[in-house]
Amino acid sequence: MPVKLTLLSAGYCNGQENHTLRNGRRVSRRYPALFALLQHPTEGYILFETGYARRFYDVTRYFPNRLYNLITPVTITEEETAASKLSALGIQPQQIRYVIVSHFHADHVAGTKDFPNARFICSETACIFARNTRGLRALSAAYIPELLPDDFFDRTEILSPASARYRYDEFWVEQYDLFGDGLLRMVPLPGHARGQMGVLVQTAEREIFLAADVCWHSVSFRSMTLPPRTSGLIMDSWSDFVNSLTKVHHYHLTHLDTLIVPTHCQEIANFYNHTY
């Protein structure tokens, strides 16, 4: 049996289009914080990301964390949180068995405290960075440790060649088959953030590539349109970012039936609440 996948969103931030797309307009745009509910046939409910949560406001009330919300203003209501969205679907937060963390930016992990029974899945590189980074260095990487549960690292399953099912294909030097059935395959997408990963999901309808923040706009991977070079100042590695986007671009050209989902693309808003 394939995976059931429902695309949802948990809040959004505002930003300038020309900051995220080369030759973009000088207009403010909403960047939704997408997350996905995955129902695996044997492993149960899994989340990819959690989006924003109201506690984001609490941890950014004072400096220096307040700079985060000043630079990228966030909007999230209690009804829009991942936990509330799932409850509206009849799924309680305690039923979530795993949360896949693509990377540790605040807009991807702010809801992690809402899932007390979940195990967290992330790359070894991302985990080492998050465990050892605090203060201004963390903030400069859009990471706010206070958003994580106190026992986060005790509940984390780390993806590394030594501990995860490993396979190789022509696109991904590393690929991790999470449950050994080919339904959820994690692939590295470094550059935007330390140790970022995406996941290829096999549904009954089509393959869906949850591509995290490999780009902000779908046009970027379709036409290999980069953001302005200045955006590299907030990235972990500009060269890795370009390399990851290039791989996704080629994957798109050779897998035209795959729906590629950048986490903050407004175009994907058309698919909110759609189940595959």
Side-chain angles (χ1 to χ4, degrees):
M1 292 178 62
V3 173
K4 290 183 180 179
L5 183 153
T6 303
L7 285 175
L8 300 158
S9 67
Y12 62 89
C13 70
N14 287 94
Q16 291 292 116
E17 182 182 284
N18 63 323
H19 292 171
T20 57
L21 190 65
R22 187 169 293 179
N23 300 319
R25 298 168 296 169
R26 292 186 177 182
V27 297
S28 178
R29 293 188 61 162
R30 287 186 178 184
Y31 292 87
L34 277 171
F35 70 99
L37 170 66
L38 311 174
Q39 186 175 0
H40 188 277
T42 61
E43 299 297 328
Y45 291 119
I46 301 166
L47 292 186
F48 178 77
E49 319 287 32
T50 66
Y52 289 111
R54 293 284 297 176
R55 67 180 55 86
F56 174 83
Y57 295 132
D58 296 330
V59 302
T60 59
R61 185 171 300 169
Y62 305 106
F63 286 100
N65 288 347
R66 189 179 177 190
L67 292 170
Y68 190 118
N69 202 23
L70 291 175
I71 295 170
T72 54
V74 170
T75 300
I76 177 74
T77 66
E78 189 59 43
E79 293 73 25
E80 292 171 329
T81 64
S84 293
K85 291 284 184 75
L86 295 178
S87 294
L89 296 174
I91 301 167
Q92 299 307 308
Q94 293 83 356
Q95 293 178 262
I96 300 300
R97 295 193 61 197
Y98 297 96
V99 174
I100 299 172
V101 176
S102 70
H103 62 289
F104 282 86
H105 287 180
D107 50 334
H108 296 255
V109 301
T112 51
K113 287 186 177 181
D114 294 328
F115 303 100
N117 297 331
R119 301 284 298 172
F120 300 104
I121 298 172
C122 65
S123 76
E124 183 176 39
T125 302
C127 185
I128 291 172
F129 172 80
R131 187 189 289 270
N132 297 315
T133 307
R134 293 291 184 272
L136 288 174
R137 181 166 176 254
L139 183 63
S140 68
Y143 168 46
I144 302 177
E146 294 87 347
L147 289 172
L148 300 179
D150 292 339
D151 62 349
F152 180 91
F153 296 105
D154 294 330
R155 293 159 56 193
T156 296
E157 297 187 9
I158 298 173
L159 299 181
S160 70
S163 62
R165 292 181 175 89
Y166 168 85
R167 55 196 290 178
Y168 171 84
D169 65 23
E170 67 272 26
F171 286 96
W172 315 108
V173 174
E174 299 170 80
Q175 185 177 131
Y176 304 99
D177 186 349
L178 284 183
F179 302 115
D181 52 19
L183 296 179
L184 297 175
R185 292 170 291 136
M186 300 290 295
V187 295
L189 297 171
H192 172 78
R194 188 75 55 89
Q196 177 178 256
M197 299 194 79
V199 59
L200 294 157
V201 183
Q202 190 59 55
T203 74
E205 186 174 330
R206 65 197 302 185
E207 181 184 68
I208 298 177
F209 188 179
L210 300 173
D213 289 4
V214 73
C215 57
W216 288 280
H217 305 270
S218 292
V219 67
S220 294
F221 71 75
R222 286 198 295 258
S223 62
M224 197 52 206
T225 302
L226 293 168
R229 184 63 179 85
T230 53
S231 68
L233 296 174
I234 62 171
M235 294 181 184
D236 182 62
S237 167
W238 174 259
S239 60
D240 285 344
F241 172 83
V242 174
N243 184 51
S244 292
L245 183 57
T246 300
K247 286 184 178 181
V248 174
H249 172 64
H250 289 305
Y251 197 85
H252 163 66
L253 294 179
T254 55
H255 297 75
L256 293 176
D257 290 335
T258 296
L259 174 63
I260 298 177
V261 179
T263 296
H264 304 300
C265 179
Q266 287 186 314
E267 181 181 330
I268 301 299
N270 296 328
F271 300 100
Y272 285 174
N273 299 315
H274 185 85
T275 298
Y276 296 87

